[in-house]
Amino acid sequence: MKAVGICGSDVHYLKTLRCAHFVVEEPMVIGHECAGIVEEIGSEVTHLVPGDRVALEPGISCWRCSYCKQGSYNLCPEMKFFATPPVHGSLANQVVHPADLCFKLPEDITLEEGAMCEPLSVGVHACRRANVGPETNVLIMGAGPIGLVALLAARAFGAPRVVIVDVDEFRLSVAKDLGASETVKVSTNEEDVAGEVELIKKAMGESVDITLDCAGFNKTMTTALNATRPGGKVCLVGMGHNEMTVPLTPAAAREVDVVGVFRYKNTWPLCIEFLRSGKIDVKPLITHRFGFSQKEVEDAFETSARGGSAIKVMFNL
């Protein structure tokens, strides 16, 4: 391993020992956004050699169940995923991983960028699920790390206008620098939804065809459902609230489709191509770097958990 990023789920496991219905019951190595250098290969591996720089897709599916056979391997019930209990993650000096989940990096892509293919994959998969393209105006709820990679992905998929919404001024300024058409600062107060929907529509200037909710709270989902045009799509990406009370009936009456995402599938080659071609630049998202000592690991997780100016915290091993 050479580069490992910290994800919100890693911080969640560290602080609460659980994430959704996954519970840590015994010591577990965390980390799943990673890239490294091949040290050894199995006897039947043909596409890699020792010394190759690779980005790792962190989920090993069974390839036998009906989901895997249909291509939806991200939904495999037997999935073994880095740092999802009880499977150890990749914040370690070495890991053993299937060769077909190790993707060779072109020479001009850094290992840090390789590690960023994992969060970027979430944005890419969301854009695919919602059918983002050159004729769809996209609204993004939340300008955290996933909201920002969703913005980069939506732009790369050709979305002509992308408006992003958040409660934090700093994150909105980062989003603007990364190519958001407009930003809208909102409150955490649910009573403000109606007024904020009008502000969003004004910022978009046209109809909101697709909304990607990268926060996943009552308020963000309510805003998403109300702001999206009749016949549009809302894609729920973030998992802020486990249960929500949202105005689904009025949205259904306007034929607004709601789709969910779980991780990603078949995204690494496209992510690497976006980085290679320059269509996407993830480097500005990496705001803090740490080494791999006990103290630096602790400091890195504190930095990530604090938020503030930290977007993506990266370990260099």
Side-chain angles (χ1 to χ4, degrees):
M1 287 290 97
K2 289 295 173 190
V4 182
I6 297 180
C7 169
S9 68
D10 293 321
V11 175
H12 220 72
Y13 281 126
L14 186 64
K15 295 218 173 289
T16 67
L17 294 181
R18 67 178 303 144
C19 196
H21 59 283
F22 299 108
V23 182
V24 180
E25 289 171 348
E26 55 194 48
M28 180 182 83
V29 176
I30 41 189
H32 60 268
E33 306 177 356
C34 55
I37 298 173
V38 176
E39 203 159 281
E40 234 180 287
I41 56 171
S43 60
E44 293 177 22
V45 175
T46 56
H47 72 290
L48 295 171
V49 295
D52 280 347
R53 298 151 63 257
V54 291
L56 276 63
E57 179 172 351
I60 306 170
S61 54
C62 76
W63 293 119
R64 290 185 302 276
C65 70
S66 60
Y67 296 106
C68 284
K69 285 179 176 178
Q70 288 162 12
S72 298
Y73 66 85
N74 56 316
L75 304 178
C76 174
E78 302 296 316
M79 176 71 82
K80 292 178 175 61
F81 195 94
F82 279 161
T84 297
V87 182
H88 284 308
S90 56
L91 183 53
N93 287 311
Q94 292 173 310
V95 298
V96 179
H97 206 53
D100 66 318
L101 296 173
C102 298
F103 296 86
K104 191 172 174 178
L105 295 171
E107 278 179 17
D108 51 354
I109 294 180
T110 66
L111 286 154
E112 286 190 338
E113 290 173 278
M116 288 297 292
C117 285
E118 198 280 342
L120 181 57
S121 285
V122 177
V124 166
H125 184 56
C127 286
R128 282 178 176 167
R129 283 280 287 153
N131 293 327
V132 172
E135 297 178 306
T136 56
N137 294 315
V138 178
L139 169 65
I140 297 175
M141 306 300 298
I146 295 298
L148 295 174
V149 291
L151 159 65
L152 294 174
R155 277 292 194 213
F157 273 68
R161 284 188 69 73
V162 184
V163 171
I164 193 160
V165 171
D166 201 277
V167 295
D168 186 276
E169 203 73 68
F170 170 74
R171 298 225 154 165
L172 289 175
S173 70
V174 172
K176 199 85 173 88
D177 292 343
L178 289 173
S181 311
E182 294 290 340
T183 63
V184 178
K185 188 170 189 286
V186 294
S187 74
T188 53
N189 189 344
E190 288 211 30
E191 285 158 25
D192 297 336
V193 166
E196 288 168 359
V197 166
E198 291 313 307
L199 288 175
I200 288 164
K201 287 179 176 174
K202 198 172 161 198
M204 188 64 83
E206 301 169 48
S207 61
V208 175
D209 301 303
I210 293 166
T211 302
L212 307 177
D213 183 354
C214 298
F217 293 105
N218 259 332
K219 189 187 171 199
T220 55
M221 201 56 182
T222 299
T223 306
L225 290 167
N226 289 341
T228 305
R229 68 163 173 82
K233 258 199 182 71
V234 173
C235 182
L236 179 54
V237 186
M239 300 191 296
H241 282 152
N242 206 30
E243 292 188 5
M244 299 189 209
T245 307
V246 294
L248 209 49
T249 310
R254 293 186 298 116
E255 294 199 354
V256 173
D257 293 344
V258 179
V259 295
V261 299
F262 186 60
R263 295 176 179 152
Y264 34 67
K265 58 179 181 182
N266 303 313
T267 50
W268 259 254
L270 181 57
C271 289
I272 290 170
E273 176 53 27
F274 277 152
L275 297 177
R276 189 201 63 76
S277 64
K279 264 193 159 184
I280 288 180
D281 181 9
V282 289
K283 293 192 289 294
L285 295 177
I286 305 166
T287 53
H288 294 72
R289 291 173 174 82
F290 291 86
F292 191 44
S293 66
Q294 180 67 28
K295 181 173 182 344
E296 284 181 285
V297 170
E298 290 176 21
D299 289 349
F301 275 95
E302 278 307 312
T303 302
S304 184
R306 252 200 322 272
S309 66
I311 298 170
K312 184 55 63 180
V313 177
M314 188 71 69
F315 289 108
N316 296 126
L317 281 71

